[in-house]
Amino acid sequence: DQQVKQNSPSLSVQEGRISILNCDYTNSMFDYFLWYKKYPAEGPTFLISISSIKDKNEDGRFTVFLNKSAKHLSLHIVPSQPGDSAVYFCAASAYRSGAGSYQLTFGKGTKLSVIP
Amino acid sequence: DVKVTQSSRYLVKRTGEKVFLECVQDMDHENMFWYRQDPGLGLRLIYFSYDVKMKEKGDIPEGYSVSREKKERFSLILESASTNQTSMYLCASSNAGLAGGAYEQYFGPGTRLTVT
């Protein structure tokens, strides 16, 4: 059962326009959400995150919105640039008390292509 | 900057071979993780470790084992490699507990393993 879903495998956007990547989750115990960016043949790199007690977090061109009632979050990239072309993974965090650590559950990813 | 390194970028092994994938982090992180990434399936957690000699199964531990003898090093072992273990393997590390930044995981560059 997929707890974190990214329903769009791919997205194409013109350079300069807004990119909106969506993510849905089912587990209400998730308390922190993250977006990672991954280029081919490289490991994922952390992009931006949001706590479950907030509804918006902004960092430069990147903004993440969280709608807890809908169990939905989105990543907005404005303006989109060709260098943003990558696979974006949504991840949700839950605390595992037995291990004393957080575990991330990832979505399947959305491949963003920004067209010059 | 956090650095997570993996022993090989590309590896080709034969069916039935024992395979060792090594991961080293230099930030004194308590937690270390092994994931595999497959097209259309995203990142799936194989095992993680929250302390030296401590380990927890992730979502897909079958066919794998792990070893953590030192804090900075986490090894993934394929006891008898099979073709369905052909994948990209990613190692990650993070801080422990409820301290700030505990949610964020830092990834290595990945090892592309092909089992023939």
Side-chain angles (χ1 to χ4, degrees):
Chain A
D1 182 30
Q2 241 188 301
Q3 297 188 66
V4 178
K5 298 179 185 179
Q6 294 178 257
N7 290 321
S8 298
S10 63
L11 175 68
S12 289
V13 171
Q14 286 290 133
E15 181 179 2
R17 299 287 186 102
I18 184 171
S19 295
I20 300 176
L21 294 92
N22 293 303
C23 179
D24 297 294
Y25 63 96
T26 57
N27 187 347
S28 57
M29 297 302 291
F30 289 139
D31 57 358
Y32 212 80
F33 302 90
L34 304 90
W35 285 94
Y36 281 83
K37 176 179 179 179
K38 186 181 184 299
Y39 293 116
E42 292 184 15
T45 55
F46 169 73
L47 191 58
I48 192 169
S49 62
I50 188 167
S51 164
S52 60
I53 61 172
K54 296 189 174 182
D55 56 15
K56 178 182 175 181
N57 187 28
E58 196 171 349
D59 183 3
R61 297 187 295 114
F62 302 92
T63 304
V64 56
F65 295 92
L66 176 62
N67 182 334
K68 274 191 74 174
S69 60
K71 293 190 173 70
H72 176 84
L73 65 154
S74 61
L75 174 69
H76 293 212
I77 306 173
V78 183
S80 301
Q81 298 173 355
D84 296 330
S85 297
V87 177
Y88 289 78
F89 290 99
C90 170
S93 176
Y95 188 70
R96 282 180 67 155
S97 57
S101 68
Y102 290 92
Q103 180 177 331
L104 293 181
T105 301
F106 286 84
K108 293 184 177 182
T110 297
K111 184 176 182 180
L112 174 65
S113 299
V114 180
I115 304 160
Chain B
D1 267 358
V2 175
K3 194 162 185 186
V4 180
T5 57
Q6 295 183 228
S7 51
S8 305
R9 294 300 302 271
Y10 300 93
L11 211 51
V12 180
K13 295 291 182 181
R14 293 188 182 275
T15 302
E17 278 193 83
K18 191 169 187 176
V19 182
F20 292 86
L21 302 182
E22 304 285 339
C23 175
V24 177
Q25 52 95 4
D26 67 357
M27 280 302 290
D28 202 36
H29 283 167
E30 287 79 6
N31 301 326
M32 296 187 74
F33 307 82
W34 275 106
Y35 295 88
R36 63 179 282 178
Q37 184 200 357
D38 300 289
L41 296 178
L43 275 71
R44 294 180 292 166
L45 181 65
I46 304 171
Y47 266 99
F48 72 99
S49 169
Y50 52 93
D51 202 350
V52 175
K53 296 190 187 294
M54 306 304 288
K55 61 186 179 184
E56 288 267 341
K57 291 181 180 179
D59 300 318
I60 50 164
E62 297 79 17
Y64 303 94
S65 62
V66 290
S67 172
R68 193 163 180 205
E69 297 296 320
K70 293 185 177 181
K71 191 175 184 180
E72 68 272 17
R73 189 178 296 270
F74 191 34
S75 303
L76 179 70
I77 303 151
L78 287 67
E79 296 290 343
S80 177
S82 63
T83 54
N84 63 12
Q85 292 179 310
T86 291
S87 187
M88 168 71 86
Y89 289 88
L90 293 158
C91 176
S93 70
S94 74
N95 282 319
L98 300 173
Y103 308 95
E104 186 180 331
Q105 294 181 13
Y106 298 85
F107 284 83
T111 296
R112 170 71 66 185
L113 172 67
T114 303
V115 183
T116 61

